[in-house]
Amino acid sequence: MSALNLNARIGVIGAGAMGAGIAQVAAQAGHQVLLLDNRPGAAAQAIDNIDRQLGKRVENGKLAAEARDATLARLHPVENAQALADCALVIEAIAENLEAKRALFVQLESLCSTQCVFASNTSSLSITGIAAPLKHPHRLLGLHFFNPAPVMALVEVVCGVASDPVLADCLYDTAKAWGKKPVHTRSTPGFIVNRVARPFYAESLRLLQEGAADCPTLDALLREAGGFAMGAFELTDLIGHDVNYAVTCSVFDAYYGDPRFQPSLAQKALVDAGRLGRKSGQGFYCYSEQAERPGASTLPNAPAPQTCAVEGDLGALQPLLSRLQGQGVK
């Protein structure tokens, strides 16, 4: 089974940042896309936001006006799930809640044809678990995009226990046809990226809680010494703390409380306060127009050290001592 042809209608449920981004990707690839959200007017508002974003690209000479107009003409807000009945693929991008996702796909199974493929954009919930209540669980897979979906190339194609490998290949080829770089993965906690990424966030959050340094300094260390495009606090503000914290809790629980994945009380406090990051205007940083971004703390210039005292076995740090000695440090 090859990629879905361009005559295939795509349904996207959830008009938040991820759902709107996925809808835009599918529409830019040439599909008619139906966008549904249970909040009145949210789907139409999301399409208006896409219009503004694409308009900026036109103004900057990065997109032809005709391409913008064609993409917008393929995006259609709809009022209820019944409107998705003739879709060939329905992608769910709602809140990270297992029961809500299960109930949605059970409803879709009663509305859509048996040929329709179901996909969840879940970041970490079990595809096997989501598909469990379905009469035909083989047609539900994970199709996990990354934020912002129109920009980020990677897409995880996730198979649960019952998922049909033929449909997994179809979604892989479809994502590739949409200009993405898909990868196959099994439905393990956090899949590939979110399992690997947990320590990236966790170490910075632990250092913050322990008072080792402030957010701007820790972010600067990751950017300037680690070579990352963004630090952990900048990135979690972009993702949204409600989403990032929920994924961390999901992975932590799935690995039976492995301390490597322990959620942060500092991040929980932000979620409890409604400080979700860029989308709420406040997270670890403030995003109001008047806000000034705090700078990293730096030490004043000082002479290079001449001596270094070592106590005990350095272990993995032994090469560091050799480098210091190579620079003349005794």
Side-chain angles (χ1 to χ4, degrees):
M1 188 173 184
S2 58
L4 295 174
N5 66 57
L6 294 181
N7 292 325
R9 280 190 165 193
I10 310 295
V12 178
I13 302 179
M18 286 305 305
I22 295 168
Q24 179 182 332
V25 169
Q28 285 179 317
H31 294 274
Q32 297 294 322
V33 180
L34 307 182
L35 183 59
L36 172 65
D37 196 287
N38 61 5
R39 298 166 297 164
Q45 183 179 358
I47 294 172
D48 288 341
N49 290 337
I50 293 171
D51 186 4
R52 283 192 292 272
Q53 293 166 12
L54 294 180
K56 292 178 182 177
R57 295 194 66 200
V58 172
E59 291 174 6
N60 295 332
K62 296 180 179 180
L63 182 71
E66 294 79 8
R68 185 247 345 250
D69 295 342
T71 296
L72 292 171
R74 299 185 194 108
L75 289 164
H76 312 280
V78 296
E79 299 294 328
N80 51 61
Q82 286 81 0
L84 308 179
D86 64 347
C87 287
L89 168 65
V90 177
I91 304 170
E92 165 271 312
I94 65 172
E96 284 287 275
N97 180 286
L98 177 62
E99 294 307 319
K101 291 178 188 292
R102 281 178 168 176
L104 175 60
F105 283 113
V106 167
Q107 179 190 18
L108 289 172
E109 194 173 40
S110 70
L111 298 172
C112 301
S113 77
T114 56
Q115 303 305 310
C116 180
V117 182
F118 296 150
S120 174
N121 184 59
T122 179
S123 302
S124 63
L125 294 177
S126 167
I127 296 300
T128 300
I130 296 172
L134 299 183
K135 296 176 182 177
H136 306 287
H138 71 279
R139 61 171 168 161
L140 189 145
L141 302 95
L143 194 63
H144 181 216
F145 290 77
F146 293 85
N147 190 24
V151 176
M152 300 295 284
L154 181 63
V155 174
E156 293 176 319
V157 179
V158 189
C159 277
V161 168
S163 300
D164 186 341
V166 174
L167 296 182
D169 288 339
C170 173
L171 290 185
Y172 181 99
D173 291 341
T174 298
K176 193 171 182 179
W178 291 357
K180 299 302 181 182
K181 292 183 179 178
V183 294
H184 284 293
T185 183
R186 293 182 296 109
S187 183
T188 54
F191 314 139
I192 299 171
V193 174
N194 271 306
R195 177 167 51 84
V196 172
R198 289 309 102 192
F200 173 82
Y201 307 118
E203 290 303 319
S204 287
L205 286 162
R206 286 192 187 103
L207 288 169
L208 179 70
Q209 286 185 182
E210 292 170 3
D214 57 18
C215 295
T217 303
L218 292 169
D219 278 346
L221 284 170
L222 282 173
R223 289 195 313 272
E224 297 171 21
F228 292 94
M230 303 178 77
F233 304 108
E234 294 167 319
L235 184 54
T236 51
D237 270 4
L238 175 64
I239 293 168
H241 293 289
D242 51 343
V243 174
N244 189 264
Y245 179 73
V247 172
T248 300
C249 290
S250 173
V251 173
F252 180 66
D253 292 342
Y255 278 106
Y256 305 105
D258 188 324
R260 292 178 301 165
F261 307 114
Q262 185 174 17
S264 165
L265 291 174
Q267 189 174 39
K268 181 180 185 300
L270 290 181
V271 174
D272 291 345
R275 296 187 172 190
L276 306 181
R278 287 180 179 270
K279 61 186 175 184
S280 69
Q282 176 76 56
F284 285 113
Y285 300 105
C286 181
Y287 296 94
S288 68
E289 292 183 3
Q290 299 79 19
E292 292 186 9
R293 183 65 172 270
S297 300
T298 58
L299 292 173
N301 291 332
Q306 300 300 310
T307 60
C308 177
V310 177
E311 295 185 13
D313 182 12
L314 284 180
L317 290 177
Q318 184 62 41
L320 178 60
L321 180 60
S322 300
R323 291 183 64 184
L324 287 171
Q325 291 170 342
Q327 297 296 318
V329 179
K330 298 178 181 180

